[in-house]
Amino acid sequence: MSGIINLISQHSSKLNILPIIVVMNIIITILIHFLNKKKIIKYIPSLCLGVAALIILLSGLRQFTSARGLDLSWIAVFLGTAALVGLFTCFIIDLIVSIRKQTSEMELSNQKDEKSAKEDKPIRTNKSHKTRVAKKKRPKVKGKEQEIKYVTKKINTKNNVKAKRIDNSSKSKKQTFEAKDK
């Protein structure tokens, strides 16, 4: 166990390089994204690092038993890790951009729908249009406890209106009226 700890402490300077390379690749990717309008250009630094990592790894595997081969393998692992993190950063940026684009399109379509819904309501200029009847409450008069309500029951497209009157003072309590708009 102490041998592993000694080995890690001897090579800790090599381990400190990995986060630096990864952060530099992420910063370069983000800068390229903001400076260019094209989607593919931000992938180029990560792809170049990945290709360089593969080339270095292949040359390191040929000389793997020597000290130089092990150093080349370390470098290939660092560059490959930085390339993968850079590619994932590019995918995350693309995901965020597409989500923002879709939400803005949805908001625009919702606003257009609301505007068209407001414009679709007919303006009553004459009596040939549909007549709308709503609930109408009469205010309470002092001294009377009973309230009379007119409640709309059904509106047809043929301009027939059915309404019922709820009168708590009468015996039947409900009276139905039918009327036609002329």
Side-chain angles (χ1 to χ4, degrees):
M1 187 70 164
S2 64
I4 294 174
I5 293 173
N6 287 337
L7 238 140
I8 291 173
S9 65
Q10 287 175 356
H11 297 287
S12 65
S13 62
K14 288 183 181 179
L15 294 176
N16 292 336
I17 294 173
L18 179 63
I20 295 170
I21 294 173
V22 169
V23 169
M24 284 178 27
N25 191 19
I26 290 172
I27 291 172
I28 290 170
T29 301
I30 292 172
L31 285 176
I32 289 175
H33 167 70
F34 285 118
L35 295 176
N36 289 318
K37 299 288 181 183
K38 294 184 180 179
K39 195 175 188 181
I40 263 206
I41 294 177
K42 67 178 161 271
Y43 289 97
I44 292 175
S46 299
L47 291 176
C48 290
L49 276 177
V51 169
L54 284 176
I55 291 171
I56 293 172
L57 181 67
L58 291 176
S59 67
L61 288 177
R62 288 186 187 159
Q63 310 168 7
F64 194 67
T65 56
S66 67
R68 185 169 188 257
L70 290 175
D71 286 338
L72 288 176
S73 298
W74 268 102
I75 293 171
V77 167
F78 286 166
L79 292 179
T81 304
L84 286 176
V85 170
L87 287 174
F88 286 128
T89 304
C90 293
F91 290 137
I92 290 170
I93 289 172
D94 284 342
L95 181 68
I96 291 170
V97 168
S98 67
I99 288 172
R100 282 186 183 169
K101 185 177 178 182
Q102 286 179 354
T103 55
S104 65
E105 288 175 0
M106 287 173 45
E107 287 174 356
L108 285 175
S109 67
N110 286 342
Q111 289 175 355
K112 287 179 183 177
D113 290 342
E114 288 174 4
K115 286 181 182 178
S116 65
K118 288 179 182 177
E119 292 172 359
D120 288 345
K121 291 182 181 177
I123 300 171
R124 289 191 284 175
T125 55
N126 57 18
K127 292 187 178 184
S128 64
H129 291 250
K130 294 180 184 178
T131 305
R132 296 178 181 226
V133 180
K135 282 186 176 180
K136 184 177 179 182
K137 290 186 178 181
R138 287 189 172 178
K140 288 186 176 181
V141 180
K142 290 183 180 179
K144 289 186 177 180
E145 295 179 11
Q146 303 296 329
E147 184 178 338
I148 299 174
K149 296 180 182 179
Y150 292 95
V151 182
T152 302
K153 186 174 182 182
K154 187 175 183 182
I155 300 175
N156 292 345
T157 57
K158 299 176 185 177
N159 294 333
N160 293 336
V161 179
K162 276 191 176 180
K164 59 182 172 179
R165 176 178 159 193
I166 302 173
D167 188 3
N168 294 334
S169 62
S170 67
K171 294 178 183 177
S172 65
K173 292 194 178 187
K174 289 185 183 178
Q175 297 174 354
T176 304
F177 301 96
E178 290 188 23
K180 287 188 179 181
D181 270 347
K182 295 181 181 179

